[in-house]
């Protein structure tokens, strides 16, 4: 069976402003990406500062899905609940993603660890959900399991209009920098405190300690909002998470190696699609900006312009 080539590739963390990743930028030699950038034209740019709760790649995905939402209120949980059949198509209530995580307690602050590194399985997730459900229900929050272990779907009116930071913004930073603020978030902060005490007593964490993996000692809320209308089917891009782990760790050498593998794999496939005549798109996302590139005119003038406009990939990625 012939391989299906991607038509629209979206790359989160394509640019990264953390020290080690920024230092690695000049070492990148991305021939396929540079060829694509020379052949395509910049069609759309979304640039904001790094204080936004919704990072550029999430804003780009929301636009591709036809979702318009304020910063921190892209209703990913409501969309997932609707896709799973947990929420009715016309359900106007707010939803949120509750992700179990490890808060790393330091001398001066508490840092959010990457939930993808805690190695939680479905049985652990189900046991903790059963223990946590009564505490959430006291605050009018209904919990539902999701297909991803360690992540639950939460339904409550409080989530409609409550801005929360994406995990991809908050991982590696003090939780005080990204936690929801204001009176509307006060019940959630109390609930986090209650959950910390509850999780400390759970046998799941005793078993995890015996295995030498980090304890699950809190949760992070994200993806909040209400989906008040039907989402029209859209050409949702293929998303590569190849750069995420090394970017969040600020592992410059690992990030550069992941970029070279990405260039030789999905980026090369996208270039092959373009060469075969497909109307391809490429969206590059960093800490501040998302840039979407699409096919430019293929006439002689377009090819000539591409020769003069050719840029080093590192220069483009630095602008993100």
């Amino acid at each position: 069976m012939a391989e299906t080539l991607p038509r629209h590739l979206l790359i989160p963390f394509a640019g990264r402003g953390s020290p080690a990743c920024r230092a690695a930028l000049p070492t990148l030699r991305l021939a396929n990406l540079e060829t694509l950038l020379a052949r395509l034209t910049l069609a759309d740019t979304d640039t904001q500062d790094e204080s936004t709760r919704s990072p550029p790649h999430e804003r780009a995905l929301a636009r591709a899905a036809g979702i318009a939402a304020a910063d921190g209120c892209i209703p990913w949980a409501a969309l997932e609940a609707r896709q799973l059949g947990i929420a009715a198509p016309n359900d106007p209530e707010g939803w949120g993603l509750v992700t179990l995580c490890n808060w790393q307690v330091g001398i001066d602050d508490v840092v959010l660890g990457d939930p993808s590194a805690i190695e939680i399985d479905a049985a652990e997730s189900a046991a903790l959900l059963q223990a946590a459900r009564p505490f959430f229900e006291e605050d009018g929050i209904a919990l539902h399991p999701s297909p991803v272990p360690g992540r639950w779907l939460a339904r409550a009116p409080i989530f409609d209009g409550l801005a929360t930071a994406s995990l991809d913004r908050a991982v590696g930073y003090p939780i005080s920098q990204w936690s929801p603020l204001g009176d509307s978030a006060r019940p959630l902060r109390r609930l986090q405190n209650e959950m910390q005490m509850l999780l400390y007593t759970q046998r799941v964490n005793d078993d995890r300690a015996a295995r030498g993996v980090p304890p699950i000692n809190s949760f992070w809320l994200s993806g909040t909002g209400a989906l008040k209308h039907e989402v029209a089917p859209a050409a949702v891009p293929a998303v590569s998470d190849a750069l995420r782990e090394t970017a969040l760790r600020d592992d410059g050498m690992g990030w550069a190696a992941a970029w070279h593998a990405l260039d030789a794999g999905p980026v090369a496939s996208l270039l092959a699609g373009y060469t075969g005549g497909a109307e391809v798109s490429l969206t590059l996302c960093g800490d501040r900006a998302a840039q979407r590139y699409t096919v430019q005119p293929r006439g002689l003038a377009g090819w000539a312009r591409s020769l003069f406009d050719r840029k080093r990939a590192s220069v483009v990625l630095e602008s993100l």
Side-chain angles (χ1 to χ4, degrees), residues 5 16 39-40 73 87 100 112 114 116 138 200 210 224 232 239:
L5 298 176
R16 186 68 168 163
R39 300 292 185 259
L40 304 179
C73 295
L100 298 175
L112 177 64
D114 188 355
S116 67
E138 286 182 5
Y200 181 76
T224 45
V239 179

Side-chain angles (χ1 to χ4, degrees), residues 107-183:
I107 297 175
D108 298 321
D109 50 41
V110 180
V111 172
L112 177 64
D114 188 355
S116 67
I118 64 174
E119 301 178 23
I120 184 171
D121 61 31
E124 290 175 322
S125 183
L128 294 177
L129 174 61
Q130 183 177 2
R133 182 172 273 139
F135 291 84
F136 281 78
E137 288 177 345
E138 286 182 5
D139 287 307
I141 301 172
L143 289 181
H144 303 268
S146 87
V148 180
R151 193 176 78 188
W152 308 327
L153 294 163
R155 181 177 186 264
I158 190 176
F159 299 136
D160 186 1
L162 177 67
T164 53
S166 165
L167 279 166
D168 287 346
R169 277 297 199 214
V171 165
Y173 290 93
I175 61 168
S176 58
Q177 180 175 337
W178 290 108
S179 292
L181 301 175
D183 291 342

Side-chain angles (χ1 to χ4, degrees), residues 276-290:
E279 296 291 322
V280 303
S281 298
L282 173 67
T283 300
L284 301 173
C285 305
D287 297 332
R288 298 163 298 173

Side-chain angles (χ1 to χ4, degrees), residues 20-276:
C21 291
R22 181 170 288 277
L25 267 173
T27 71
L28 296 179
R29 299 294 182 268
L30 307 175
N32 292 313
L33 178 61
E34 291 186 354
T35 300
L36 261 177
L37 292 174
R39 300 292 185 259
L40 304 179
T41 188
L42 181 60
D44 181 59
T45 299
D46 169 17
T47 302
Q48 300 185 38
D49 63 38
E50 296 173 48
S51 67
T52 58
R53 296 177 178 89
S54 301
H57 56 274
E58 292 193 6
R59 301 197 301 264
L61 279 172
R63 283 195 301 274
I67 298 173
D71 180 46
C73 295
I74 302 174
W76 298 124
L79 179 62
E80 182 175 340
R82 185 173 295 185
Q83 291 171 338
L84 292 172
I86 299 173
N90 59 350
D91 181 5
E93 194 158 27
W95 289 78
L97 293 172
V98 174
T99 304
L100 298 175
C101 56
N102 173 253
W103 285 10
Q104 301 164 358
V105 181
I107 297 175
D108 298 321
D109 50 41
V110 180
V111 172
L112 177 64
D114 188 355
S116 67
I118 64 174
E119 301 178 23
I120 184 171
D121 61 31
E124 290 175 322
S125 183
L128 294 177
L129 174 61
Q130 183 177 2
R133 182 172 273 139
F135 291 84
F136 281 78
E137 288 177 345
E138 286 182 5
D139 287 307
I141 301 172
L143 289 181
H144 303 268
S146 87
V148 180
R151 193 176 78 188
W152 308 327
L153 294 163
R155 181 177 186 264
I158 190 176
F159 299 136
D160 186 1
L162 177 67
T164 53
S166 165
L167 279 166
D168 287 346
R169 277 297 199 214
V171 165
Y173 290 93
I175 61 168
S176 58
Q177 180 175 337
W178 290 108
S179 292
L181 301 175
D183 291 342
S184 61
R186 189 173 299 167
L188 295 171
R189 292 194 291 271
R190 176 179 49 76
L191 185 56
Q192 279 180 323
N193 291 333
E194 291 175 347
M195 283 295 295
Q196 285 179 292
M197 292 185 286
L198 172 69
L199 291 168
Y200 181 76
T201 66
Q202 292 300 299
R203 181 172 178 175
V204 165
N205 273 326
D206 294 335
D207 295 340
R208 291 177 64 81
R211 300 203 315 267
V213 294
I216 299 167
N217 57 15
S218 194
F219 69 88
W220 192 257
L221 179 68
S222 62
T224 45
L227 198 59
K228 299 182 184 297
H229 57 81
E230 288 291 334
V231 176
V236 178
V239 179
S240 172
D241 286 326
L243 305 174
R244 181 184 185 275
E245 183 178 348
T246 52
L248 291 178
R249 292 203 315 259
D250 194 26
D251 174 6
M253 291 182 62
W255 183 71
W259 240 129
H260 287 124
L262 187 59
D263 189 63
V267 175
S269 296
L270 192 69
L271 178 58
Y274 170 85
T275 303

